Amino acid sequence: MTSSVLICDDSNMARKQVVRSLPPHWQVRVQTAKNGIEALEIMRNQAVDVLFLDLTMPELDGLGVLQKIKEEGINCSVFVISADVQPAMQARVLELGATAFLRKPVEADVLMDELQVHGFL
Amino acid sequence: MTAFNLNEDQQDCLQELINVAMGQASDQLARYLNTFVHLKVPSIEQVSTTSLSNSLNQEQQSVAVVSQGFLGYEGIRGEALLVYQHKDSDCIGNILGYEPDELSVEEQLIDLSSILTTTFLNVFAQQIDNQMSYNAPRLLSRGQDALAVYLQQLSFNCDMALKVKITYQVTDYSFNCDMILLIPESAITHIKAVIDRILADY
């Protein structure tokens, strides 16, 4: 079964980095968004299984996206990928409903482990 | 303004490298102070060193600045300035939990600056497969002229520099400090080469 994946980060390089860290055997359809507003638009119109979400972004940041997902009852697993690795920030995103917190730049084996733990592989 | 004609991809790459380093530096600061550090998107711009000393001077006459030079392989070098407001530098003892007279304000500022600078630069260097060495941090005297003179005398004495400004906000204590990295014109081409190497991998 093919999973629908959305990568949301304002940095082009960071988006590419996530794409190339995805497990090669994972069947996915990948879409990208440059900010939180774009990501929410996509998620309102179609089912997304996994969202890889940056935190520091213009327009609408990652915390804002998590809040909206909660408010609007969007069904999606969110893996936050952030450079802001402070324990308080990690706790905050998990509290807001994120499935996992990964530090930037994400490494392929770490990403694979997390996806496995949460039943996507 | 595009800094030294970095193209869009180069600017994006540099910004990402800085974000990751900034994140780890703020994490160190947060653990050290046992609090949360609020981060903003860092700014990257091209400045003339004269305009820089003017802008630092205009901000306030009573600013405290700790300066530390860094040097890596492949011609990468620069100066990291930690800029504190007068009101913040005076309350720093409380924030760090020192007893009065345990350590001078100067020593405390230097301690805090070293944590931020070395963490930031080590993480930055790691990402570009480099390694940094540092000069001893120096607290610049607070007079306006002293700062201007110092900037003019920086080891890399140059007219233009790439300026990266990162603001660390400790909201619990309403304490802010700015980290300003100055990368001289001559080192920019080397940074560009490194960035291009990273981008070629994508």
Side-chain angles (χ1 to χ4, degrees), chain B residues 25 28-30 32-33 64-68 82 84 89 92-93 95-99 102-120 135-140 175 177 179:
Chain B
Q28 285 298 315
L29 182 64
Y32 193 68
L33 301 180
V65 179
V66 178
S67 177
Q68 192 166 15
L82 264 294
Y84 301 89
S89 63
I92 195 164
I95 296 174
L96 297 177
Y98 285 114
E99 297 296 322
E102 197 179 340
L103 204 62
S104 72
V105 170
E106 284 71 21
E107 288 168 310
Q108 293 167 12
L109 287 178
I110 285 177
D111 272 4
L112 194 61
S113 304
S114 294
I115 291 174
L116 284 169
T117 306
T118 53
T119 307
F120 181 96
N135 296 332
R138 286 206 272 170
L139 183 78
L140 308 185
F175 168 87
C177 70
M179 177 190 268

Side-chain angles (χ1 to χ4, degrees), chain A residues 8 25 59-60 78:
Chain A
C8 178
H25 305 299
E59 311 287 339
L60 180 65
V78 185

Side-chain angles (χ1 to χ4, degrees), chain B:
Chain B
M1 183 172 30
T2 313
F4 290 90
N5 306 319
L6 293 178
N7 67 32
E8 205 179 313
D9 283 345
Q10 290 168 330
Q11 178 104 13
D12 177 49
C13 178
L14 181 60
Q15 183 95 38
E16 260 318 274
L17 298 173
I18 289 168
N19 284 345
V20 169
M22 168 180 89
Q24 305 250 344
S26 66
D27 183 45
Q28 285 298 315
L29 182 64
R31 287 167 195 266
Y32 193 68
L33 301 180
N34 195 20
T35 185
F36 182 72
V37 181
H38 183 75
L39 294 174
K40 291 199 280 194
V41 179
S43 74
I44 303 176
E45 60 177 342
Q46 181 180 336
V47 293
S48 72
T49 38
T50 359
S51 75
L52 179 79
S53 72
N54 285 340
S55 73
L56 280 177
N57 277 335
Q58 270 164 14
E59 273 178 54
Q60 58 280 308
Q61 26 181 273
S62 51
V63 76
V65 179
V66 178
S67 177
Q68 192 166 15
F70 57 90
L71 178 68
Y73 304 134
E74 300 189 73
I76 289 175
R77 68 206 175 94
E79 195 77 18
L81 304 175
L82 264 294
V83 182
Y84 301 89
Q85 306 296 321
H86 191 36
K87 65 169 183 61
D88 287 343
S89 63
D90 285 347
C91 71
I92 195 164
N94 292 335
I95 296 174
L96 297 177
Y98 285 114
E99 297 296 322
D101 302 331
E102 197 179 340
L103 204 62
S104 72
V105 170
E106 284 71 21
E107 288 168 310
Q108 293 167 12
L109 287 178
I110 285 177
D111 272 4
L112 194 61
S113 304
S114 294
I115 291 174
L116 284 169
T117 306
T118 53
T119 307
F120 181 96
L121 289 169
N122 285 342
V123 175
F124 185 80
Q126 243 171 44
Q127 295 179 88
I128 59 173
D129 287 326
N130 208 302
Q131 207 171 9
M132 298 288 180
S133 54
Y134 308 100
N135 296 332
R138 286 206 272 170
L139 183 78
L140 308 185
S141 48
R142 296 189 183 189
Q144 299 197 7
D145 288 347
L147 185 57
V149 169
Y150 177 78
L151 286 170
Q152 275 155 18
Q153 284 172 349
L154 279 179
S155 51
F156 56 76
N157 197 0
C158 61
D159 295 336
M160 300 298 290
L162 189 69
K163 175 188 167 197
V164 177
K165 183 179 168 188
I166 298 159
T167 300
Y168 299 93
Q169 295 180 310
V170 184
T171 37
D172 282 352
Y173 299 102
S174 34
F175 168 87
N176 287 348
C177 70
D178 289 337
M179 177 190 268
I180 295 177
L181 300 179
L182 293 175
I183 298 158
E185 207 165 5
S186 58
I188 298 298
T189 39
H190 301 294
I191 296 233
K192 270 195 201 170
V194 168
I195 288 174
D196 285 338
R197 208 162 60 209
I198 293 173
L199 286 169
D201 278 350
Y202 282 84

